[in-house]
Amino acid sequence: MPSSGAALRTARRAGYDLFVMPLASRLQTFAAPAEAITVTEVDPRPPGPGEVRLEMLAAPINPADLNVIEGKYGELPELPATIGNEGVGRIAEVGPNVNGLHAGQVVLPLSFGTWAESITVPAANVVALPDDIDTPQAAMLTVNPATAWRILHEFVDLEPGDWVVQNAANSGVGRSTIQLAKALGLHTLNVVRRPELVDELQSAGADAVVLEETDLRKEARALCGGKKPRLALNSVGGASALNVANALAPGGCLVTFGAMSKQPLKIPNGLLIFSNLQFRGFWLKRWRDAAPREEIMTTYEKLAGFVAQGALHTPVHATFRLGQLQDALAEAAAERRGGKVLLDLSAG
């Protein structure tokens, strides 16, 4: 999107000695992106007591961000607002009464409003990362891998060798689940809509990949080597959710964290009476609001470790500058992408 900030960057790249104000996204109203969001220059706010100012490096565009722009998410900001629910930055300034953090550190900001080149946040809301961590991978660490990790740990006491079933297995959470389950010694049964995804996900570590039309009530046990899954992850709803629920062993648990089909979850009485299944929901924000700080920090430190080891990797489809936000949003809304759309927020 054309902006005064973009023009200033063009001038700086041409060699002019100019002070360039940082850019930030501004959501003005809840509507389609072209009507709702702009990019504008902002004054960087110095950190106060207990705060740090970050120069952001990168941030992804997630489906939840698109829902926020359209006013269709579970929690909406007061307008106008800078949006974005994850990213990675480098500490530029440290305010008074901040311990254990210093300028130059690479960190995850666990705060809303990451689509900006400069943000000031509570020091308690950042997680320090290794300085040499891959920037794009770090930018995508906060939401999808954390959702997968928490669901794998909170609802069923899984043991190595156990199976997990999920729909939308090629999604960000789905790919994270495949990789994290493998690192934990678990097996995954994965449901996708397109045949070309079968080999791709198997190459990424999936144990079994089937298409949506596969009747998991009949085939799950054989697909899982005679051992039915104890945990199901549902981000679709409707018939797809029922199909993965039918794959579960008695006493198993289906966790819903998304509703891509926009269809309700219809639970047959028999799954409750005869299979004693549990149906639960998960929202990452609710976990972060309620969990002890130590648990939150430990979760993200573990995930950063998997990235460093090469055990956790999210594909990137395309990268845009913040001044190209409208193009980036259009790309993120398109179907059949090969990975995440990223915003490059580094100065320049």
Side-chain angles (χ1 to χ4, degrees), residues 164-308:
V164 174
V165 60
Q166 62 174 343
N167 52 25
N170 61 306
S171 67
V173 173
R175 291 174 186 272
S176 294
T177 298
I178 290 169
Q179 295 173 81
L180 293 173
K182 188 177 183 67
L184 294 168
L186 305 172
H187 302 296
T188 56
L189 170 57
N190 303 275
V191 181
V192 295
R193 291 186 299 170
R194 307 197 308 271
E196 63 268 26
L197 293 169
V198 174
D199 289 343
E200 179 184 338
L201 293 185
Q202 287 178 334
S203 297
D207 295 285
V209 187
V210 298
L211 298 178
E212 281 276 9
E213 53 265 30
T214 303
D215 186 345
L216 294 183
R217 181 190 308 199
K218 297 179 179 178
E219 300 191 34
R221 189 180 298 278
L223 288 165
C224 299
K227 188 176 183 180
K228 297 187 78 174
R230 299 176 57 211
L231 175 68
L233 285 76
N234 165 46
S235 61
V236 179
S240 178
L242 178 57
N243 195 31
V244 295
N246 279 324
L248 287 170
C253 180
L254 181 140
V255 180
T256 295
F257 63 94
M260 294 180 188
S261 72
K262 300 182 181 178
Q263 297 299 310
L265 179 61
K266 297 181 179 180
I267 305 169
N269 295 327
L271 291 182
L272 298 173
I273 298 169
F274 304 116
S275 296
N276 192 30
L277 298 188
Q278 301 177 57
F279 293 84
R280 303 285 300 276
F282 180 82
W283 186 22
L284 185 69
K285 183 181 184 301
R286 185 174 61 230
W287 167 71
R288 285 213 312 242
D289 287 346
R293 175 175 167 76
E294 182 179 355
E295 180 178 283
I296 295 171
M297 296 296 130
T298 299
T299 293
Y300 286 112
E301 287 166 0
K302 284 182 178 293
L303 293 173
F306 285 123
V307 169

Side-chain angles (χ1 to χ4, degrees), residues 68-121:
V68 168
I69 292 170
E70 295 178 349
K72 298 176 181 178
Y73 196 58
E75 183 174 274
L76 298 172
E78 293 185 11
L79 300 181
T82 296
I83 69 166
N85 61 8
E86 68 176 334
V88 64
R90 192 183 304 277
I91 297 177
E93 297 180 73
V94 176
N97 305 323
V98 173
N99 298 314
L101 297 172
H102 59 80
Q105 277 185 297
V106 178
V107 298
L108 293 179
L110 306 183
S111 296
F112 189 75
T114 56
W115 292 2
E117 293 178 343
S118 175
I119 64 174
T120 300
V121 298

Side-chain angles (χ1 to χ4, degrees), residues 61 137 140 144 169-172 175 179 194 196-197 200-201 204 313-320 330-342:
I61 298 175
Q137 292 302 311
M140 300 179 287
N144 290 332
N170 61 306
S171 67
R175 291 174 186 272
Q179 295 173 81
R194 307 197 308 271
E196 63 268 26
L197 293 169
E200 179 184 338
L201 293 185
H313 181 272
T314 302
V316 175
H317 171 71
T319 302
F320 295 82
E331 194 70 20
E335 294 186 359
R336 300 200 176 192
R337 285 180 288 102
K340 284 287 185 183
V341 172
L342 277 184

